[in-house]
Amino acid sequence: MKPKSVTLDDVACHAGVSYQTVSRVLNQAAHVSQKTRDKVEQAMLALNYVPNRVAQQLAGKRSYTLGLATTELALHAPSQIASSIKTRASQLGFNVVISMIDTLSLTACRAAVSELIAQRVDGVLINVPLEAEEAQSIVEFCGQLPVMFLDVSPDALVCKTLFDPHGGAKLGVEHLLQLGHQQIALITGPLALVSARLRYQGWLGELSQQQITPCATHHGDWSAASGYQLALSLLNHSPRPTAILVANDQMALGVLRAVHEYGLRVPEQISVVGYDDTEDSAYFQPPLTTIKQDFRLLGVESVSRLVEALGPHAGQQQDSLLLPTLLVVRNTTAQVGSS
């Protein structure tokens, strides 16, 4: 015999509150004390109550579902961010549906967002690199649906949660200069993407302030393979760089292999600084010095702020949040001439 479904009345009886109070807790109404909210949530757990999301949607109520439009999850950074978003959303009582784009274009991003909207999401997070004008067009496309951007130009007039790109670039340059490096090469990400361009501009700005010009610059595609190929070219450059700034850890992994195959030692003969501090970077050989972007924090903050926008003050413009970066010194950097 099919077991009887747990109802709101059952939850209310178990918690010792009214049906209306349970409904308010489910709909995250503002006028419920934390003590009462905790009591109701404990009753739901005890009874294994599962909200009927479909019925709520048909009634025009909140779906308690967030949408995430993201780039390729095979890349480390987007996958870590998506994982953090799902974890934080679950903590707040929300599901997450994901729409992944296969080409980096405004058209592809709009198609992904349209797919999410069709699933009746309450809000959208967009981890796709967009220019300011493109982000604004997405906001207009979404109408009243709250949108949070995670990879957009800092001057974009939209709600966004971002890492500080110039601060991160400054940390990498300052570290190498303190070690005495002057012959510094750059391996950037694709400059058509705003995040890659901002890191590159940050490097150039910091080096220029010290009256240093990069000895060579190459543009990669974020992959370890491109880092490998570009590093081989840099190592044949004259003068050969004593240090390489790399725009992400995956490309830095390729750089380390190329340097090893070339017969040089890291960090004694050449220093390497990555960017992101993905989970694997501490296990590279040697462990990678890099600029940490806390992807867990990005997921927590972006979801928390988006859910806040769904509350009593929904529709009000939120301030943007710029998250800090951190230099993580490991074993791929050393004083110049230390061999």
Side-chain angles (χ1 to χ4, degrees):
M1 185 172 66
K2 185 178 179 180
K4 177 180 178 292
S5 298
V6 178
T7 67
L8 287 188
D9 285 320
D10 296 328
V11 174
C13 181
H14 191 281
V17 298
S18 68
Y19 175 97
Q20 290 79 8
T21 297
V22 175
S23 179
R24 291 191 192 99
V25 171
L26 274 175
N27 291 292
Q28 294 194 339
H31 305 300
V32 180
S33 71
Q34 189 59 51
K35 181 179 179 180
T36 300
R37 190 179 302 276
D38 291 342
K39 186 188 300 184
V40 171
E41 289 175 349
Q42 288 169 10
M44 290 178 181
L45 286 173
L47 298 174
N48 291 319
Y49 173 74
V50 179
N52 189 335
R53 304 298 190 196
V54 174
Q56 290 177 328
Q57 289 186 38
L58 291 175
K61 295 181 179 180
R62 184 176 298 173
S63 69
Y64 289 92
T65 301
L66 303 178
L68 170 61
T70 182
T71 51
E72 177 58 62
L73 292 180
L75 294 173
H76 285 209
S79 66
Q80 289 182 26
I81 293 168
S83 176
S84 178
I85 284 172
K86 287 182 69 68
T87 298
R88 180 55 177 164
S90 178
Q91 292 171 348
L92 296 177
F94 284 78
N95 299 312
V96 176
V97 293
I98 297 176
S99 182
M100 191 168 63
I101 69 170
D102 52 9
T103 58
L104 294 177
S105 68
L106 178 59
T107 299
C109 186
R110 286 184 59 144
V113 171
S114 179
E115 178 183 319
L116 296 172
I117 292 174
Q119 297 183 64
R120 302 285 296 274
V121 297
D122 295 323
V124 177
L125 301 116
I126 300 182
N127 189 26
V128 177
L130 296 171
E131 302 295 336
E133 299 81 5
E134 293 174 329
Q136 186 59 51
S137 74
I138 292 293
V139 170
E140 294 169 0
F141 178 72
C142 290
Q144 297 300 310
L145 192 69
V147 186
M148 181 65 65
F149 293 89
L150 283 68
D151 190 358
V152 69
S153 175
D155 61 1
L157 299 178
V158 296
C159 295
K160 51 192 179 291
T161 306
L162 310 169
F163 291 110
D164 178 6
H166 294 296
K170 181 178 181 179
L171 289 172
V173 170
E174 286 182 342
H175 177 59
L176 291 178
L177 294 181
Q178 288 168 1
L179 295 172
H181 292 279
Q182 298 286 305
Q183 296 296 327
I184 300 173
L186 309 177
I187 295 181
T188 79
L191 295 189
L193 306 184
V194 60
S195 55
R197 192 166 62 249
L198 289 170
R199 290 177 199 180
Y200 177 49
Q201 292 170 350
W203 285 339
L204 292 181
E206 291 302 315
L207 290 169
S208 177
Q209 288 187 16
Q210 302 300 321
Q211 299 182 322
I212 295 176
T213 301
C215 65
T217 300
H218 288 310
H219 309 300
D221 64 7
W222 298 130
S223 71
S226 72
Y228 173 77
Q229 294 294 338
L230 296 175
L232 288 177
S233 176
L234 286 175
L235 295 172
N236 288 314
H237 186 274
S238 182
R240 191 169 65 208
T242 64
I244 305 176
L245 285 164
V246 190
N248 79 335
D249 291 350
Q250 282 295 100
M251 290 193 295
L253 176 61
V255 170
L256 293 179
R257 177 178 171 181
V259 173
H260 174 74
E261 291 185 359
Y262 198 83
L264 298 177
R265 297 189 308 278
V266 175
E268 293 87 354
Q269 292 173 285
I270 189 162
S271 289
V272 179
V273 178
Y275 206 111
D276 283 339
D277 192 33
T278 54
E279 291 181 353
D280 294 340
S281 63
Y283 302 95
F284 290 178
Q285 183 56 38
L288 182 67
T289 294
T290 186
I291 306 302
K292 180 179 182 62
Q293 298 190 122
D294 189 339
F295 298 127
R296 185 200 64 80
L297 178 63
L298 178 61
V300 168
E301 292 292 348
S302 59
V303 171
S304 298
R305 297 177 68 233
L306 181 60
V307 170
E308 183 180 343
L310 302 175
H313 304 295
Q316 294 187 8
Q317 180 69 30
Q318 287 184 294
D319 292 333
S320 299
L321 180 61
L322 202 61
L323 302 176
T325 53
L326 176 70
L327 173 68
V328 179
V329 179
R330 295 194 180 103
N331 303 115
T332 59
T333 50
Q335 197 77 26
V336 68
S338 60
S339 61

